[in-house]
Amino acid sequence: PLVGKAEKALESQQREHEELLDAITAADVTRTSLASALEEPLCVAQAAVNVASRQVAELPRAPVDEVRALAAPPKAVVRALGIVHGILFCRDVKAALPQWRDLQKMLRREDFLARVKGFRVQGSALADGAVLNKLQQDLAGTRGASGDAGPLTDAAVRRASQAVAVLFAWARTQLEV
C-alpha cells in the first residue's frame, strides 16, 4: 500500500510537471507571436523615419531661407513648422503655440537643419507622453488653436511649400513612431 501511494504521488507530480511545461510552451508561442506582430509596424515606422530623414538631409538651405523670409505665410506652413518647433524645442506641455516670429528664429538658426537631421526621440521631450499628445493634437487640429480647422495634411503643406512639406513629413514620422 505504501508503494502504491508513492507511485500515485510520483504520477501526479509528473502530470503537473507536464502541464507546467505545456503552459510554458504555450506562453512562449504567444510571446513570440506578439513580438512578431509588434515588430512589423515598428519596422515600417522606422523605414518611414529613415526616408523622411534622408529627404531632410537632401534639403538645401535656400528654400528654408525663402520660407523664413515670408511676411505672411500660409496657415499650413505655420502649423507644420509649429509642429517641427514643438518636436525640437518644446520642454513644457503648457507652452503656447509658437508665433511666426518664433518660427522664423528657428529657421534662422545655423544649426536648424543639423538639429533636425540629428534628432533622436530618446532623451527628447517626445519621450514625455504629455508633450507627444500635445503635438499630436496640433497635428490633428484639436488643441483649440485659433484657425485650426481639422487635421493638417501632407497635401495642404505641399501646396503651401515643398521645403516645409519635407520638414512636415519628418515631423509626422517622429510623432508616429
Side-chain angles (χ1 to χ4, degrees), residues 149-168:
L152 185 58
T153 65
D154 290 322
V157 177
R158 198 175 312 106
R159 278 192 303 273
S161 166
Q162 291 291 322
V164 175
V166 170
L167 294 168
F168 177 65

Side-chain angles (χ1 to χ4, degrees), residues 19-174:
E19 289 172 3
L20 283 172
L21 284 176
D22 288 345
I24 290 170
T25 301
D28 193 42
V29 168
T30 301
R31 184 187 54 78
T32 302
S33 297
L34 286 172
S36 295
L38 292 173
E39 189 174 304
E40 184 178 337
L42 285 175
C43 289
V44 170
Q46 187 59 53
V49 168
N50 293 344
V51 168
S53 295
R54 197 172 318 114
Q55 290 174 337
V56 168
E58 296 169 359
L59 183 64
R61 181 73 197 193
V64 174
D65 290 338
E66 289 173 13
V67 169
R68 189 196 73 220
L70 295 173
K75 283 184 180 183
V77 166
V78 174
R79 285 184 63 196
L81 289 175
I83 292 168
V84 171
H85 185 277
I87 290 170
L88 295 175
F89 301 106
C90 182
R91 297 290 171 248
D92 180 8
V93 73
K94 295 182 182 186
L97 292 169
Q99 300 297 310
W100 178 237
R101 68 181 176 280
D102 301 319
L103 300 174
Q104 287 174 307
K105 286 179 191 175
M106 173 185 74
L107 295 173
R108 191 175 298 117
R109 291 177 64 122
E110 286 297 320
D111 69 341
F112 170 66
L113 288 176
R115 204 168 173 145
V116 172
K117 293 173 198 174
F119 180 80
R120 299 288 175 264
V121 171
Q122 292 80 10
S124 76
L126 282 189
D128 176 354
V131 171
L132 177 62
N133 184 47
K134 178 192 90 144
L135 292 170
Q136 288 172 331
Q137 289 174 355
D138 291 349
L139 180 64
T142 59
R143 191 157 71 113
S146 62
D148 288 357
L152 185 58
T153 65
D154 290 322
V157 177
R158 198 175 312 106
R159 278 192 303 273
S161 166
Q162 291 291 322
V164 175
V166 170
L167 294 168
F168 177 65
W170 169 84
R172 193 175 28 70
T173 62
Q174 296 301 322

